[in-house]
Amino acid sequence: MTGKKHCVLVIDDSIMIRKMVVDLLEDRFQVIEARNGREGVRLAKEHKPDVILLDFVMPELDGYETLQLLQKDATLQKIPVIMMSGLPDEVANKVPQPFVGFDFLEKPFQQEDLYQHINKALTGEFPAAAAPAAATELQALATKLVNIETLLIQGIEGLVQREIVSRLVELDAQGE
């Protein structure tokens, strides 16, 4: 690719999801990561990305609350947002319909689907109201598995962080 790469801001509380998205995109795009909605809004103001990938389920500010903050800022409101979630029913229950101001990408997604959504956003072919599709039994099962996987990943991340803190405390105590 010649010239400057388009910038994509990924806002997701899961380090594993951010790492996966970075791995998928880093060859084609400049990728910036944010761990939560507040950090995401700050980085959006700082970097003015071309597209924002926004997780829906996050602590503190969820994706919709983060989207509302982005849309209230005159310098950010024109940046296309692609909401990502493995829980499309939760999005549909919380977000007023028809969906306006963002595209929707259901997790898990394939690399090509992600590229297509980003390319649509970059070319101005942004869908006005891309509602999550109704889940078939198989999709519902896949969604449940993704939710379990996400919970396991977040649980493992928490355990690893606690273990690191515990070992640092032990090393500190030995050093005294």
Side-chain angles (χ1 to χ4, degrees):
M1 177 180 244
T2 59
K4 184 178 174 252
K5 288 183 176 181
H6 286 288
C7 180
V8 176
L9 171 59
V10 181
I11 306 172
D12 198 307
D13 60 315
S14 169
I15 191 169
M16 301 298 277
I17 299 293
R18 290 194 318 268
K19 169 102 175 85
M20 179 196 72
V21 172
V22 168
D23 287 346
L24 292 175
L25 298 180
E26 66 186 349
D27 289 344
R28 296 187 186 188
F29 303 97
Q30 174 193 359
V31 184
I32 300 166
E33 300 176 60
R35 297 173 302 224
N36 58 55
R38 292 197 198 291
E39 182 181 28
V41 171
R42 180 183 60 77
L43 289 173
K45 288 179 182 178
E46 186 178 322
H47 295 277
K48 303 293 187 289
D50 298 297
V51 178
I52 297 174
L53 296 175
L54 178 58
D55 183 30
F56 184 77
V57 180
M58 294 187 293
E60 293 180 47
L61 292 177
D62 67 24
Y64 186 60
E65 293 163 334
T66 302
L67 176 69
Q68 289 175 317
L69 287 177
L70 292 167
Q71 290 177 340
K72 285 180 184 172
D73 187 308
T75 64
L76 304 177
Q77 60 191 204
K78 299 244 188 268
I79 299 172
V81 174
I82 301 168
M83 191 83 68
M84 306 180 299
S85 180
L87 304 168
D89 293 338
E90 251 186 67
V91 177
N93 290 338
K94 171 136 190 191
V95 180
Q97 293 200 17
F99 296 153
V100 176
F102 68 93
D103 191 5
F104 182 83
L105 180 60
E106 187 172 349
K107 294 178 185 177
F109 47 78
Q110 299 296 315
Q111 183 175 18
E112 272 312 306
D113 291 336
L114 181 59
Y115 287 156
Q116 285 176 356
H117 280 264
I118 291 172
N119 287 332
K120 276 191 222 174
L122 292 173
T123 58
E125 299 172 33
F126 206 63
T136 63
E137 286 183 37
L138 188 56
Q139 287 172 323
L141 179 59
T143 298
K144 286 179 185 176
L145 290 173
V146 168
N147 295 342
I148 291 169
E149 178 185 38
T150 300
L151 289 172
L152 286 172
I153 289 170
Q154 290 172 344
I156 291 169
E157 287 174 346
L159 287 172
V160 168
Q161 290 171 352
R162 284 193 289 279
E163 182 65 23
I164 290 170
V165 168
S166 171
R167 290 189 184 196
L168 287 174
V169 168
E170 285 176 22
L171 287 172
D172 192 41
Q174 290 173 1
E176 291 179 355

